[in-house]
Amino acid sequence: MAALVLPPVLLLVAGVELRSAALEPVSLSLAIGVASVLTGYLSLAPFYCALLECCPDDDSRPDAAALQLTLDEKLFGQHLAKEVILRAVTSFINNPNPKKPLALSLHGWAGTGKNFVSQIIAENLYEAGMRSKFVHLFISTLHFPHKHQVQLYKDQLQKWIRGNVSACAKSVFIFDEMDKLHPGLIDAIKPFLDYYEQVDGVSYRRAIFIFLSNAGGNLIMKVALDFWRSGRLREEIRLQDLDEALSLGVFNNRNSGLWHSSLIDRNLIDYFVPFLPLEYQHVKMCIRAEMMSRGHLIDEDTVWKVANEMTFFSTDEMVYSDKGCKTVQTKLDFY
């Protein structure tokens, strides 16, 4: 009897296409068996997660010492932010049963390190950092540009957060340019930040929400300048010197994105993190760190030249850089 000749087939074995014009029954059975074995092998979590990014399990604990080292080595002039971020993030991720998501609101002038700290947190939690599929960045002027579509944005935002937390409980959501966000929009996520065990069958208690804003920068500068004028070190500024004034100032500021927000009214933001304006010495630290990151030896003459091209806030004292370290990279390119 003539062997049965099958039509051309396409098999997917371990992600590789195997084409055959005509496989005999025995060959076909063998190929299917191999595919079944490999499929079962690939389904094993360790092997699968070595190839594709997986959501961390409950036992996953990022390295707190590594987070502290990175903050110490790369964040300059921000003793308050270092202290709060390290304490807040490490205590949250080590808590096996948090009662609510972690919500951080980072405030200060541009170039003081708010975006940088967000990246550091993301890199500490996920190897891919900001490129991780579990880290989500929203930019107000890009993702929510039109005031007349606020209700649509609210619906979309709720669906996006619900879907991603359902896929990974340890998702991170970063909202940049909060001072440009339409008032009331952020209140759409209030149920997800509250002390609910579940919302529509989904628990949000392991998620992290980070809000970045220039709002409050003037309040922070005033406190820092008062300390400087009185001859006190900036390191003497404590969180209690800023916390209440900052939360009230942001709540009553129409341009904060958190204006009369229920997130503040219901005390759902865990920490208001102030980023102090940077002085000349801190700008020089940023320049040196950037040179080292590019693999260059530190040339103090170049450091001096770049630092002196920066502009400083127009008080009589000319103490603080008005752009922080924001333009250091482009100015260093010139040299």
Side-chain angles (χ1 to χ4, degrees):
M1 179 180 297
L4 176 63
V5 178
L6 298 176
V9 296
L10 174 64
L11 295 178
L12 186 65
V13 180
V16 179
E17 291 182 354
L18 299 179
R19 295 183 180 274
S20 173
L23 289 180
E24 294 184 358
V26 174
S27 300
L28 180 60
S29 300
L30 180 61
I32 292 174
V34 171
S36 299
V37 172
L38 286 175
T39 300
Y41 187 54
L42 283 170
S43 67
L44 296 175
F47 187 86
Y48 177 83
C49 295
L51 299 175
L52 298 173
E53 186 181 24
C54 291
C55 179
D57 58 29
D58 290 340
D59 295 328
S60 176
R61 295 287 184 272
D63 189 347
L67 176 60
Q68 180 169 8
L69 181 63
T70 303
L71 290 171
D72 288 341
E73 291 183 345
K74 297 183 178 181
L75 185 65
F76 307 115
Q78 303 298 353
H79 67 284
L80 291 176
K82 285 182 185 179
E83 177 186 348
V84 176
I85 294 298
L86 184 64
R87 183 198 316 156
V89 173
T90 54
S91 61
F92 179 76
I93 61 179
N94 287 314
N95 184 350
N97 187 30
K99 300 303 180 185
K100 66 178 292 296
L102 177 63
L104 305 172
S105 192
L106 280 48
H107 296 268
W109 283 352
T112 52
K114 302 185 300 296
N115 279 285
F116 189 47
V117 163
S118 301
Q119 294 172 22
I120 290 174
I121 293 173
E123 289 168 359
N124 184 252
L125 297 174
Y126 295 102
E127 186 176 349
M130 296 297 293
R131 300 188 309 277
S132 170
K133 63 184 179 182
F134 306 121
V135 177
H136 312 278
L137 173 64
F138 300 96
I139 303 172
S140 296
T141 53
L142 176 64
H143 296 105
F144 315 111
H146 305 297
K147 185 176 182 179
H148 65 278
Q149 293 187 335
V150 166
Q151 188 55 53
L152 173 63
Y153 297 149
K154 287 183 176 183
D155 295 339
Q156 291 176 336
L157 188 57
Q158 286 183 341
K159 290 177 182 177
W160 180 264
I161 292 176
R162 183 182 298 114
N164 282 282
V165 174
S166 297
C168 180
K170 295 186 176 182
S171 293
V172 178
F173 301 93
I174 302 170
F175 294 83
D176 196 7
E177 299 182 343
M178 281 292 294
D179 48 304
K180 298 179 177 65
L181 191 69
H182 303 298
L185 199 164
I186 201 65
D187 283 350
I189 70 171
K190 181 261 176 190
F192 307 142
L193 292 180
D194 217 326
Y195 290 82
Y196 299 124
E197 185 171 349
Q198 290 187 345
V199 178
D200 294 333
V202 179
S203 174
Y204 297 87
R205 292 182 169 187
R206 306 308 297 272
I208 296 178
F209 293 80
I210 305 174
F211 308 104
L212 314 181
S213 178
N214 292 346
N218 290 337
L219 287 170
I220 298 168
M221 184 276 295
K222 183 181 182 303
V223 172
L225 197 56
D226 287 344
F227 269 72
W228 186 85
R229 285 171 174 164
S230 64
R232 301 173 65 184
L233 297 174
R234 66 191 278 128
E235 287 76 19
E236 294 180 42
I237 302 174
R238 308 315 311 161
L239 191 60
Q240 53 264 35
D241 296 321
L242 286 161
D243 190 58
E244 184 176 358
L246 187 57
S247 61
L248 287 175
V250 171
F251 182 76
N252 292 311
N253 185 344
R254 282 182 174 270
N255 297 318
S256 74
L258 289 167
W259 179 66
H260 287 189
S261 171
S262 61
L263 303 190
I264 298 179
D265 192 41
R266 293 291 301 273
N267 298 309
L268 298 180
I269 294 180
D270 300 295
Y271 297 93
F272 289 89
V273 187
F275 282 70
L276 302 174
L278 298 182
E279 300 173 8
Y280 181 78
Q281 59 172 323
H282 304 124
V283 173
K284 292 174 72 174
M285 291 177 183
C286 291
I287 298 168
R288 294 187 187 102
E290 178 63 20
M291 294 177 75
M292 291 178 63
S293 72
R294 299 184 183 195
H296 300 305
L297 294 175
I298 295 177
D299 177 7
E300 288 299 332
D301 184 56
T302 301
V303 172
W304 182 86
K305 289 178 181 178
V306 174
N308 281 278
E309 285 194 10
M310 307 293 282
T311 55
F312 290 79
F313 187 69
S314 57
T315 62
D316 293 338
E317 294 90 347
M318 299 292 287
V319 180
Y320 301 118
S321 170
D322 60 356
K323 297 182 180 66
C325 290
K326 200 174 187 69
T327 60
V328 162
Q329 292 185 356
T330 53
K331 289 187 179 297
L332 192 58
D333 288 340
F334 182 78
Y335 295 95

